[in-house]
């Protein structure tokens, strides 16, 4: 049974709700599901921002020994295993078991990112412990199997935000600053190609990191996967070197 904003019953949810794209059944509209909860969610959003920033200020990332590189085709099998672990184990505090299962339909590895050379890996002693990338294409989220979500059209840096895509950390290496490393690399790469801002679709488990890194919620987007509502939030950030 869904709890408030898609979080488990009895647990205080992070964020202000859920999200998706109303086109083709995955619309990014607030709708009754979010509107009915808008006032109650405002306090949660404020609390999330404060809590996320406090956590990072108290416990700085432990990035010593970590190395970042571009993902290659030979990494695909290892990446799929890491992503499956992350989906299975890092969402339990935010989603019901049914939502975790449903989320697999809209999450996963997008090999187009690897082909484009815009997907990165973080390694610890040669072992992949995190991955994530950015894209100059219109697809906002989803894996190879999420065909209805894919749009390979190239974005226009003069008016469109670049996409931050498929960010995952191995559950045994969470809270080491891996997500921050990947976000920083992706943001710098997007800025180098002329993008002034970036956009992503955040899961509830990933949202605290994005808030701590300066991303702001633009729209709650609940995604209906065969009748199961998976909470997602579209978030944006203006890059530091963007023109005023």
């Amino acid at each position: 049974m869904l709890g408030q904003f898609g979080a488990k019953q009895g647990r205080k949810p992070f964020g202000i709700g859920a999200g998706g794209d109303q086109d083709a059944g995955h619309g990014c509209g607030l709708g009754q599901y979010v509107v009915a909860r808008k006032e109650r969610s405002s306090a949660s959003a404020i609390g999330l921002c404060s809590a996320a920033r406090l956590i990072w200020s108290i416990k700085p990332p432990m990035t010593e020994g970590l190395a970042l590189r571009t993902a290659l085709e030979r990494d695909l099998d290892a990446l799929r295993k890491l992503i499956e672990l992350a989906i299975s184990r890092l969402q339990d505090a935010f989603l019901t078991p049914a939502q975790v299962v449903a989320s697999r339909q809209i999450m996963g590895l997008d090999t187009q990112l690897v082909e484009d050379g815009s997907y990165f890996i973080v390694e610890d002693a040669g072992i992949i412990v995190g991955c994530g990338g950015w894209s100059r294409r219109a697809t906002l989220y989803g894996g190879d199997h999420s065909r209805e979500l894919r749009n390979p059209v190239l974005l226009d840096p003069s008016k469109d935000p670049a996409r931050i895509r498929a960010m995952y950390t191995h559950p045994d290496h969470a809270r080491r600053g891996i997500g921050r490393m990947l976000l920083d690399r992706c943001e710098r790469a997007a800025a180098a190609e002329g993008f002034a801002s970036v956009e992503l679709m955040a899961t509830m488990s990933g949202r605290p990191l994005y808030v701590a890194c300066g991303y702001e919620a633009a729209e709650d987007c609940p995604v209906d996967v065969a009748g199961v509502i998976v909470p997602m939030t579209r978030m944006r950030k203006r890059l530091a070197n963007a023109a005023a």
Side-chain angles (χ1 to χ4, degrees):
M1 181 177 178
L2 290 178
Q4 186 182 17
F5 318 130
K8 285 186 177 179
Q9 289 285 8
R11 299 192 184 191
K12 186 175 181 181
F14 286 88
I16 59 176
D21 201 322
Q22 288 297 357
D23 298 333
H26 292 87
C28 253
L30 295 178
Q32 295 181 347
Y33 181 74
V34 174
V35 171
R37 296 161 171 79
K38 187 173 182 181
E39 290 185 3
R40 284 177 289 172
S41 65
S42 297
S44 297
I46 294 172
L48 171 65
C49 295
S50 300
R53 293 189 177 108
L54 178 61
I55 287 170
W56 282 101
S57 64
I58 294 175
K59 186 177 181 180
M62 300 176 292
T63 57
E64 184 177 355
L66 299 179
L68 188 150
R69 66 172 175 84
T70 302
L72 302 172
E73 185 176 355
R74 66 170 185 261
D75 300 312
L76 294 182
D77 287 343
L79 287 171
R80 291 188 180 99
K81 292 177 181 177
L82 183 151
I83 290 170
E84 173 58 27
L85 279 174
I87 292 173
S88 299
R89 292 172 51 188
L90 294 181
Q91 300 191 98
D92 286 350
F94 301 86
L95 304 180
T96 66
Q99 288 174 315
V100 173
V101 172
S103 71
R104 291 188 173 91
Q105 300 302 312
I106 55 174
M107 298 172 67
L109 178 64
D110 182 349
T111 53
Q112 181 70 66
L113 300 171
V114 178
E115 294 173 12
D116 287 345
S118 60
Y119 203 58
F120 306 106
I121 282 172
V122 173
E123 294 179 315
D124 185 352
I127 304 300
I128 298 176
V129 295
C131 54
W134 75 283
S135 183
R136 56 184 71 84
R137 300 181 187 275
T139 300
L140 183 58
Y141 67 104
D144 287 344
H145 56 287
S146 310
R147 297 187 182 279
E148 72 279 7
L149 300 174
R150 302 178 69 79
N151 184 354
V153 173
L154 292 174
L155 299 167
D156 182 351
S158 69
K159 63 180 181 179
D160 299 321
R163 310 309 197 209
I164 299 296
R165 299 286 316 281
M167 299 280 294
Y168 298 98
T169 300
H170 191 292
D172 295 339
H173 295 268
R175 305 297 291 276
R176 294 185 62 190
I178 292 169
R180 277 182 176 258
M181 286 180 66
L182 289 163
L183 279 175
D184 178 68
R185 181 67 181 86
C186 291
E187 290 170 5
R188 287 189 289 109
E193 293 203 14
F195 286 94
S197 61
V198 288
E199 181 176 73
L200 57 82
M201 188 69 84
T203 61
M204 292 300 98
S205 59
R207 182 168 166 159
L209 167 66
Y210 302 132
V211 169
C213 290
Y215 286 76
E216 297 182 350
E219 189 173 15
D220 290 308
C221 303
V223 181
D224 187 332
V225 181
V228 178
I229 301 300
V230 179
M232 306 277 277
T233 302
R234 184 190 293 262
M235 304 186 77
R236 294 178 183 140
K237 177 181 179 179
R238 187 168 181 80
L239 298 178
N241 63 343

